[in-house]
Amino acid sequence: MRFLFLGDMVGRTGRDAVFKKLPDLIADLQLDFVVVNGENAANGHGITERIYLEALISGIDVVTSGNHIFDQKDTLVYADRADNLLRPANFPKGTPGKGSGIYIARNGARVLVANVMGRVFMYPDLDAPFGAAERIVSSCPLGEQVDAVIFDFHAEATSEKQCFGHFLDSRVSVVVGTHTHVPTADAQILEGGTAYMSDAGMCGDYDSTLGMDKEEPLQRFLSKIPRFRYEAANGPATICGLAVDISDRTGLAEKVSPLRIGPRLQPVLPEFW
């Protein structure tokens, strides 16, 4: 199975780049399944239902999220009916939406996708991410009910992300980190066969501060005084993500590569497709 994960779409420039480029990527690379983190799609703050539906039209199979999932208040209303939108599974019981789901890929494979959020430097009162992941994989083991298992681990600390990857190694197909918006150089296949990358990066304007217009965050570092609301940068976007070849026989990763398309970072396309 040819799987592509794209990092956090930030603002209009990020989502427009993804929505415009993705149909060609699906056709040219013969992609079977695509997951995109969309929690910053609405000017950097959450995702509206309109943007979510546009994501599905563009060919995205599942939209994951993180701490900004409910920045747009209408998400509290539509989350329960948005089957292809995930919020972190370790949010408190009763939170609208769901943290995992099973979907059918274009090649007919059954794919479990789960979204979990870290606690280090984020929200220590969340349910334990490792416990939430254990419940998900134990209830739907790879190779039995599903043919592939994908985890978006939305977290700040690389140590927590790496431990999460090792915790799930050999039991899931892919563990990919999101949230920091900077692509890491550690795309690899772990010892047990799980594809791993600490952070997929973002799909957005890299002439920015994490996809946001750089002037306001810079002034806050200099003066400690907020002046304006953070606004998404609107320059040309670079698309960043992770490409994985998943074995149809074992459900584990066989090949892995970062993917970068755009004007600011060194371009990278998977050589195995």
Side-chain angles (χ1 to χ4, degrees):
M1 185 177 82
R2 294 186 174 190
F3 169 68
L4 178 64
F5 183 94
L6 296 181
D8 310 47
M9 292 188 296
V10 182
R12 176 179 295 278
T13 188
R15 68 178 190 262
D16 283 354
V18 172
F19 296 167
K20 180 179 179 180
K21 187 67 177 177
L22 187 57
D24 287 339
L25 284 176
I26 292 173
D28 295 343
L29 302 180
Q30 299 180 29
L31 299 176
D32 296 307
F33 201 76
V34 179
V35 177
V36 178
N37 188 292
E39 70 148 11
N40 299 121
N43 197 29
H45 307 277
I47 180 169
T48 63
E49 186 171 20
R50 179 184 61 81
I51 294 172
Y52 161 69
L53 294 174
E54 287 178 351
L56 300 185
I57 292 171
S58 76
I60 294 168
D61 295 288
V62 177
V63 179
T64 55
S65 63
N67 54 302
H68 290 294
I69 178 60
F70 295 117
D71 282 6
Q72 300 293 321
K73 298 309 178 186
D74 72 324
T75 311
L76 292 167
V77 177
Y78 80 83
D80 282 330
R81 64 173 179 263
D83 290 338
N84 298 68
L85 176 69
L86 300 181
R87 47 87 173 154
N90 54 331
F91 272 13
K93 185 178 180 180
T95 302
K98 62 182 182 179
S100 63
I102 298 175
Y103 307 91
I104 303 300
R106 278 171 277 280
N107 67 341
R110 302 161 299 171
V111 185
L112 169 63
V113 184
N115 195 181
V116 176
M117 197 158 90
R119 296 197 295 187
V120 178
F121 305 132
M122 294 189 73
Y123 299 97
D125 53 342
L126 284 176
D127 292 345
F130 292 83
E134 181 63 43
R135 288 189 293 273
I136 291 169
V137 296
S138 296
S139 65
C140 194
L142 178 63
E144 296 182 19
Q145 287 96 332
V146 291
D147 304 302
V149 179
I150 313 297
F151 269 81
D152 174 352
F153 188 46
H154 197 78
E156 182 77 33
T158 51
S159 57
E160 188 179 24
K161 290 178 175 181
Q162 289 178 343
C163 285
F164 192 81
H166 291 305
F167 176 69
L168 292 175
D169 186 23
S170 80
R171 298 191 289 165
V172 307
S173 312
V174 180
V175 172
V176 57
T178 56
H179 179 63
T180 65
H181 292 201
V182 178
T184 54
D186 60 342
Q188 60 183 293
I189 298 177
L190 301 178
E191 185 177 8
T194 296
Y196 173 83
M197 187 176 186
S198 291
D199 203 285
M202 70 172 179
C203 300
D205 178 7
Y206 276 83
D207 184 17
S208 66
T209 301
L210 305 183
M212 309 305 286
D213 184 88
K214 57 194 173 189
E215 295 304 323
E216 178 61 16
L218 175 59
Q219 287 303 315
R220 292 192 190 189
F221 276 113
L222 293 174
S223 68
K224 305 302 179 186
I225 300 172
R227 297 184 306 169
F228 305 106
R229 188 173 186 258
Y230 286 144
E231 299 286 341
N234 58 12
T238 296
I239 295 172
C240 289
L242 181 70
V244 186
D245 240 0
I246 299 174
S247 170
D248 294 332
R249 182 177 59 85
T250 66
L252 296 173
E254 294 183 324
K255 298 174 183 177
V256 63
S257 170
L259 178 140
R260 294 192 296 271
I261 303 170
R264 298 290 299 188
L265 306 182
Q266 181 178 3
V268 178
L269 286 173
E271 296 180 352
F272 46 82
W273 289 343

